[in-house]
């Protein structure tokens, strides 16, 4: 647990453990800013490694979002996405089956209008160029912390221009 009481998870294929903290953004020009409450997202996790997929699902739920399905392959991702219509797919680059995550993300967007946020351990130039060409909502490199995933999901929600959640008691 971090000092603020938020869970600190590190997810990825590496045994290295990293924990990041986020400093609050100071208000502009001394004006008091009201923080926007991020919208609760419905997410599809597309990851071929079962243990990693479960860790991602748990982290996403700890961050207050809903996971509407977990897929290991492109075919499974398309089926689940068609049935549940998630806001975003959290997509690994390497998937089970003949089709990789970049092509699966392209199909989700073309067929169903669902954008992807990549979670990847691949950082080579060719893979990053393919990721960029698929117009992702972002890329989070593995291993990553729950704080990094939270920021990426908040930014993705803004990029999709999804409405903010109504704070409790408002």
């Amino acid at each position: 647990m971090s000092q603020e009481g938020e869970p600190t998870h590190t997810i990825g294929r590496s045994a290295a453990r990293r924990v990041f903290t986020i400093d609050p953004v100071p208000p502009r020009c001394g004006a008091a800013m009201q923080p926007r409450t991020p919208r609760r997202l419905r997410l599809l996790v597309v990851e071929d490694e079962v243990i990693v997929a479960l860790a991602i699902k748990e982290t996403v739920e700890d961050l207050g979002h809903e996971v509407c399905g977990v897929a290991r392959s492109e075919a499974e991702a398309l089926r689940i996405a068609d049935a549940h219509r998630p806001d975003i797919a959290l997509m690994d680059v390497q998937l089970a089956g003949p089709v990789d995550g970049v092509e699966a993300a392209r199909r989700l967007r073309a067929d169903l209008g669902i954008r992807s946020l990549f979670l990847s351990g691949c950082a080579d130039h060719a893979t990053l160029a393919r990721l960029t060409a698929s117009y992702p909502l972002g890329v989070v490199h593995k291993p990553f912390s729950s704080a990094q995933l939270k920021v990426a999901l908040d930014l993705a929600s803004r990029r999709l221009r999804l409405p903010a959640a109504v704070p409790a008691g408002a």
Side-chain angles (χ1 to χ4, degrees):
M1 290 281 200
S2 69
Q3 290 181 350
E4 294 87 30
E6 291 185 24
T8 54
H9 303 286
T10 302
I11 300 170
R13 292 182 173 98
S14 171
R17 305 288 292 172
R18 296 186 210 168
V19 178
F20 297 88
T21 58
I22 300 173
D23 295 327
V25 177
R28 281 190 201 154
C29 303
M33 292 176 62
Q34 292 295 324
R36 224 176 100 115
T37 304
R39 179 183 183 275
R40 179 182 162 132
L41 298 169
R42 290 176 35 85
L43 302 160
L44 169 62
V45 175
V46 187
E47 166 65 61
D48 64 326
E49 293 185 36
V50 176
I51 293 173
V52 175
L54 292 175
I56 293 168
K57 179 182 185 294
E58 191 175 291
T59 301
V60 165
E61 290 171 345
D62 286 348
L63 292 172
H65 301 292
E66 175 187 352
V67 175
C68 62
V70 177
R72 295 185 66 228
S73 66
E74 177 204 36
E76 195 175 4
L78 288 167
R79 183 181 52 76
I80 293 170
D82 190 39
H84 296 283
R85 299 295 173 152
D87 298 314
I88 297 171
L90 292 178
M91 183 73 65
D92 186 23
V93 173
Q94 297 175 350
L95 300 179
V99 179
D100 72 2
V102 178
E103 180 60 22
R106 191 197 64 73
R107 290 272 317 271
L108 281 173
R109 184 171 185 189
D111 296 356
L112 302 171
I114 297 169
R115 305 273 306 274
S116 295
L117 173 66
F118 283 99
L119 308 175
S120 177
C122 301
D124 62 274
H125 181 70
T127 302
L128 292 177
R130 288 185 65 227
L131 290 178
T132 303
S134 72
Y135 299 102
L137 290 168
V139 179
V140 178
H141 294 280
K142 294 179 183 177
F144 57 86
S145 68
S146 59
Q148 288 173 304
L149 186 57
K150 178 184 184 321
V151 169
L153 290 171
D154 290 350
L155 290 172
S157 178
R158 289 180 186 178
R159 287 182 182 125
L160 291 174
R161 300 179 202 266
L162 296 172
V166 177

